[in-house]
Amino acid sequence: MKRFFYMLCLLALFAALPLAWGAKANAEERLALIFGNSAYGSVSPLDNPVHDAKLMADALAQVGFEVTLLSDATQLEMKRAIAQFGRALRKAGSDATGLFYYAGHGVQSFGNNYLLPVDVALEDAADLDLVAVEAQSVLRQMASARNRTNIVILDACRNNPFGDIPELNDNGLAEMKAPTGTFLAYATAPGGVALDGLEGNSPFTRAVVDQISVPGQPVEQLFKQVRRAVLKESNGLQTPWDASSLVSDFLFIDQPEPPKPAAAGELQVWQSVQATRDPVQLTLYLRGYPDGEYADEARTLLAEIIEKELAPPPTDPVPLPGEAENKLFQSAQADGSIAAYEAYLQAYPNGTYSEMVRAEVISLSAGTSTDPEADGEDETEVAEALDSSTSTPNSPEAGPITFASPLVSDLGPVSGKSLAELITGSPAFPPIEGLPEAYWKGQTCSNCHQWNRERLCTQANAYLNLTMQRSLTKQHPYGGVMKRALKSWASGGCQ
């Protein structure tokens, strides 16, 4: 119970450690709106924008963005989502970061850029702003939030879907002016055409996603790497473009801080705590140095100690005698002399039968039993004497008895008690004749014998051997009833 309360208190202290154990969450809120339009009805469909949008959404979610993703959106759906995106940015506050990504058809007209919903239908260039979404409206929504950083990524220059309309014969998108705090990235240079891609994603979007996962890279440096990658893949045919009016640094993933050298005071504390391996001291160290040089090592050590404390104690299996030990014991039984038993003990001082053999040696040395062979008795006479004794009222062998059966005996301390009780009880008279009471009176049998149920069963089975049955007539601190009870118990399979 004491150990239980100790561990309970320790676990409570362990749980109260600062949350600095985990990764540091992003301080600013990050919001992203992503469109991927492929399934156009009135103009040529595109293969990859929906896949590109999904790839970008997954990458941004991994670096802490709250992502809204729309695939194959109509004009109404696009305008509604852009308006909601603006409201969310304004609500998020000045430290928020907004990111807008579009993959699909895009065109320019009179210097303005338009993003095409999948339900676009156009016969006259004058109707373009009525059926499409002006890219400038996205910039207005983001600028209205007056937040610190906004990023716009347009992968929308794959080809001109309105080549048959004379007023819309310009390729690609026009360069836009970036409001303060905004970074604009295009899949290709103004007026250029971007590749849709042959492997499920456009080269531009795939390169952006690859660089987002690189820690410690400012957004300007990121798109320089994107430009190099796309130029290489397109053999110089496609040059990504960007424009920036950022006034603060932005990194998708912060550069991990190099480990700080441990202060001299912390080092001394850690060395002292580590040497004690005391879980309470380790916990207090972690509370004082949650980000210390040795904090991870301390957590690992503390977890190991707690796991060890909570593990159940190991149980020692009862060893079984080997063939050589069995043969030597049987030989000693057959001989029945002190020398034979002492030879067994010399070879196996802690053997399976050692307790029984020591009892025989003590009994023979004290002269409290006689050697049947020395008295001229043969095994048949011994067996007959034992068989005749089993019919007496006080014999416990009428059963066979069980480990919990009450024994019948003329000895008051024995009668009515089971083997299970006797092995933890006290002897009725000295185990060795003349032994002072101070050495045995009130002591339990377990003080001299390593008795448990398994070991006792091994010894009991020995009494089933005809030669060993001679020992049943020899004196015992519990009287002969104890040995006869063991024999009866063994004959029933030690139940």
Side-chain angles (χ1 to χ4, degrees):
M1 184 62 70
K2 182 179 179 181
R3 178 174 177 265
F4 170 76
F5 281 112
Y6 171 74
M7 292 306 302
L8 191 63
C9 294
L10 179 60
L11 289 173
L13 187 60
F14 187 77
L17 289 174
L19 294 178
W21 287 40
K24 188 181 297 183
N26 290 314
E28 80 279 2
E29 193 168 353
R30 295 180 168 191
L31 304 176
L33 175 61
I34 296 178
F35 290 108
N37 288 344
S38 293
Y40 289 95
S42 299
V43 298
S44 59
L46 298 170
D47 293 331
N48 295 329
V50 169
H51 304 309
D52 292 334
K54 178 66 167 59
L55 184 67
M56 182 64 68
D58 291 342
L60 293 177
Q62 291 293 321
V63 294
F65 278 84
E66 181 182 335
V67 178
T68 300
L69 170 64
L70 283 83
S71 299
D72 293 329
T74 63
Q75 184 194 41
L76 179 61
E77 291 170 339
M78 289 184 67
K79 288 188 174 183
R80 182 178 296 163
I82 292 169
Q84 291 174 345
F85 180 54
R87 286 194 293 271
L89 270 179
R90 290 188 288 273
K91 184 179 178 180
S94 60
D95 289 334
T97 296
L99 188 147
F100 178 83
Y101 170 88
Y102 175 82
H105 277 305
V107 296
Q108 62 166 301
S109 176
F110 300 103
N112 291 327
N113 293 321
Y114 294 89
L115 312 177
L116 304 187
V118 293
D119 61 346
V120 66
L122 184 67
E123 296 182 359
D124 195 300
D127 296 333
L128 185 59
D129 60 341
L130 302 177
V131 297
V133 176
E134 187 180 7
Q136 198 68 35
S137 67
V138 177
L139 295 179
R140 285 195 293 269
Q141 287 288 335
M142 299 176 81
S144 70
R146 300 183 184 278
N147 55 314
R148 182 171 58 187
T149 304
N150 287 310
I151 300 170
V152 176
I153 303 173
L154 301 177
D155 194 352
C157 317
R158 287 162 167 83
N159 56 48
N160 183 2
F162 303 120
D164 55 346
I165 300 177
E167 293 86 352
L168 295 176
N169 55 8
D170 291 330
N171 288 324
L173 298 179
E175 185 172 5
M176 297 184 293
K177 291 184 178 180
T180 302
T182 304
F183 186 91
L184 293 172
Y186 307 86
T188 191
V193 176
L195 301 176
D196 188 40
L198 301 175
E199 299 178 358
N201 294 107
S202 79
F204 173 71
T205 293
R206 189 170 61 250
V208 173
V209 168
D210 289 344
Q211 293 301 316
I212 283 176
S213 62
V214 178
Q217 189 169 220
V219 65
E220 297 90 347
Q221 182 64 30
L222 182 151
F223 279 94
K224 286 181 181 178
Q225 298 298 329
V226 170
R227 187 176 300 118
R228 292 190 182 103
V230 174
L231 279 168
K232 181 178 180 180
E233 184 168 347
S234 67
N235 293 319
L237 298 177
Q238 179 178 338
T239 304
W241 204 261
D242 56 66
S244 175
S245 63
L246 292 178
V247 293
S248 60
D249 295 332
F250 177 80
L251 292 81
F252 284 97
I253 303 177
D254 290 339
Q255 178 70 41
E257 294 184 5
K260 298 178 181 179
E266 180 194 350
L267 178 59
Q268 292 176 356
V269 172
W270 166 241
Q271 289 175 339
S272 174
V273 169
Q274 185 185 32
T276 66
R277 294 182 63 85
D278 183 351
V280 174
Q281 296 297 322
L282 285 166
T283 305
L284 293 176
Y285 165 79
L286 287 170
R287 294 191 66 178
Y289 300 95
D291 299 313
E293 177 71 13
Y294 309 101
D296 289 341
E297 190 175 349
R299 293 184 188 107
T300 301
L301 181 58
L302 181 57
E304 291 175 357
I305 293 173
I306 289 179
E307 182 179 4
K308 184 177 180 180
E309 284 290 334
L310 295 178
T315 55
D316 295 329
V318 178
L320 297 176
E323 182 179 356
E325 182 183 356
N326 279 330
K327 288 182 177 179
L328 186 57
F329 176 64
Q330 291 168 1
S331 175
Q333 286 181 292
D335 186 276
S337 66
I338 293 178
Y341 285 128
E342 287 181 341
Y344 169 86
L345 290 174
Q346 186 175 1
Y348 299 99
N350 298 310
T352 303
Y353 309 104
S354 58
E355 297 296 336
M356 184 188 307
V357 170
R358 285 191 179 92
E360 292 300 318
V361 170
I362 291 172
S363 180
L364 290 170
S365 298
T368 55
S369 66
T370 56
D371 187 343
E373 292 181 356
D375 290 345
E377 292 180 293
D378 60 21
E379 293 181 348
T380 304
E381 293 171 343
V382 174
E384 289 174 354
L386 292 170
D387 289 341
S388 63
S389 67
T390 59
S391 60
T392 63
N394 292 340
S395 173
E397 297 187 54
I401 69 167
T402 67
F403 195 57
S405 296
L407 306 183
V408 178
S409 174
D410 294 332
L411 293 173
V414 174
S415 184
K417 293 186 178 179
S418 66
L419 290 173
E421 294 172 310
L422 289 177
I423 64 176
T424 60
S426 300
F429 53 84
I432 300 175
E433 188 174 356
L435 189 68
E437 286 191 356
Y439 289 97
W440 64 271
K441 195 73 172 180
Q443 301 294 322
T444 64
C445 295
S446 60
N447 286 351
C448 296
H449 303 281
Q450 296 178 357
W451 269 344
N452 58 36
R453 184 166 182 166
E454 290 76 13
R455 285 179 175 270
L456 204 63
C457 181
T458 301
Q459 296 183 16
N461 275 281
Y463 291 123
L464 297 178
N465 181 284
L466 182 60
T467 301
M468 195 61 188
Q469 288 186 33
R470 302 167 182 170
S471 299
L472 297 179
T473 62
K474 297 177 182 178
Q475 191 58 278
H476 186 275
Y478 277 142
V481 65
M482 178 70 171
K483 293 183 179 180
R484 292 196 300 273
L486 289 174
K487 176 194 172 189
S488 177
W489 180 48
S491 67
C494 294
Q495 297 301 312

